[in-house]
Amino acid sequence: ALSSTCLSKSSVSSFPKMNSFKAHEQGLTQIKREDGSEVPAFTSPAIPGGAGIVVIQEWWGVNDQVKTTAGDIAIACNARVAVPDLYRGKIAYEAAEANHIMSGLDWPGAIQDVKACAQWLKANGCSKVTVAGFCMGGALALGSGVLVEEVDACIAFYGWNKGLADVSTMKKPTQCHFGDKDDHKGFSDAETANALEAELSKSGCTVEFYRYPTQGHGFMNRTAWGKEMQKKLGRPDVEEKEIESALARVKEFVAKHGK
């Protein structure tokens, strides 16, 4: 395992500040699924020669936090992003509400949403597509890496649904980010992260596994709302330097495997 302290100081300090980009700049795009239905997705403008990235929401829904994170990733990776709205417009504002909505999620259907977005990105000029997800989205990213042919690389932040797909069969380059102080037992805590790394190591795929000793669940949530919610839930404070470290790693990974 690699600790979050192994990134060079120079690569962190040279990382651009990213506050101006909005993932939904192009607005809501209705993307056709293979079953003929549509998934609404927030998309960014086309970037000639750029990477394609499907960014998958946390359990809160497609709120300003995930749009901001998607924008950060788009700028860092010079990528076109698509953010599928898995909840079809629903947004949770409290953890109990988010848990209730997620408990009713059609996980195989969500995989089809991701697949549709990956197909759309490739049909619109992206030669490769990476899927990157957070919390619930991290679990779906891992599932998509195994189950979706159109996905070329996978990035998962603090989430693993063991029953969704057998990650020991993963064939796509995979990058994982977990906080050592995450307390979501069986989903993203340190013990689960260890088990996930062990399963991925059986696959023979390229694996980068990063751990953040001071961080808990949701540590990429840099918006004012995100930081406030972290405190409300009793999680460690979000650290900007850890977010930039993670984004730098995402940038290097996508440059290597997603273009």
Side-chain angles (χ1 to χ4, degrees), residues 10 15 31 39 42 47 54 72 76 98 106 113 122 152 156 159 166 184-185 202-203 230 248 251:
S10 61
F15 201 76
I31 295 175
V39 52
F42 292 89
I47 297 177
V54 181
D72 289 350
D106 174 8
D113 287 346
K122 287 193 169 181
D152 298 289
D166 182 0
H184 283 248
K185 298 293 184 183
K202 298 176 184 177
S203 71
Q230 291 294 93
K251 177 182 179 180

Side-chain angles (χ1 to χ4, degrees), residues 24 28 40 42 57-68 83-102 105 136 221 223 225-226 229:
H24 57 288
L28 201 59
F42 292 89
Q57 68 190 60
E58 295 182 286
W59 68 345
W60 305 108
V62 181
N63 57 10
D64 286 346
Q65 174 57 64
V66 74
K67 292 176 188 176
T68 297
V83 187
D85 186 353
L86 307 181
Y87 289 172
R88 302 304 194 268
K90 293 180 182 177
I91 296 177
Y93 296 94
E94 298 293 339
E97 182 183 12
N99 185 61
H100 174 72
I101 298 174
M102 187 181 75
L105 180 70
M136 178 186 84
N221 292 349
T223 64
W225 176 88
M229 185 56 69

Side-chain angles (χ1 to χ4, degrees), residues 136-147:
M136 178 186 84
L140 284 164
L142 289 166
S144 299
V146 174
L147 300 171

Side-chain angles (χ1 to χ4, degrees), residues 22-186:
K22 297 295 183 184
H24 57 288
E25 183 175 333
Q26 185 165 294
L28 201 59
T29 303
Q30 297 295 333
I31 295 175
K32 190 79 72 177
R33 297 188 353 163
E34 287 188 335
D35 63 3
S37 64
E38 293 181 334
V39 52
F42 292 89
T43 59
S44 64
I47 297 177
I53 302 178
V54 181
V55 179
I56 313 177
Q57 68 190 60
E58 295 182 286
W59 68 345
W60 305 108
V62 181
N63 57 10
D64 286 346
Q65 174 57 64
V66 74
K67 292 176 188 176
T68 297
T69 301
D72 289 350
I73 290 173
I75 285 183
C77 301
N78 190 37
R80 185 175 206 181
V81 297
V83 187
D85 186 353
L86 307 181
Y87 289 172
R88 302 304 194 268
K90 293 180 182 177
I91 296 177
Y93 296 94
E94 298 293 339
E97 182 183 12
N99 185 61
H100 174 72
I101 298 174
M102 187 181 75
S103 67
L105 180 70
D106 174 8
W107 288 80
I111 292 289
Q112 292 306 307
D113 287 346
V114 174
K115 181 181 179 72
C117 287
Q119 290 174 332
W120 182 85
L121 286 167
K122 287 193 169 181
N124 285 275
C126 300
S127 59
K128 287 187 176 182
V129 171
T130 300
V131 59
F134 303 81
C135 177
M136 178 186 84
L140 284 164
L142 289 166
S144 299
V146 174
L147 300 171
V148 178
E149 181 182 354
E150 291 84 356
V151 168
D152 298 289
C154 168
I155 301 172
F157 281 83
Y158 36 79
W160 179 31
N161 180 342
K162 299 176 184 177
L164 186 59
D166 182 0
V167 296
S168 72
T169 66
M170 179 75 76
K171 302 303 179 187
K172 315 293 174 60
T174 301
Q175 185 182 75
C176 297
H177 304 258
F178 284 78
D180 286 349
K181 294 188 176 181
D182 196 316
D183 59 1
H184 283 248
K185 298 293 184 183

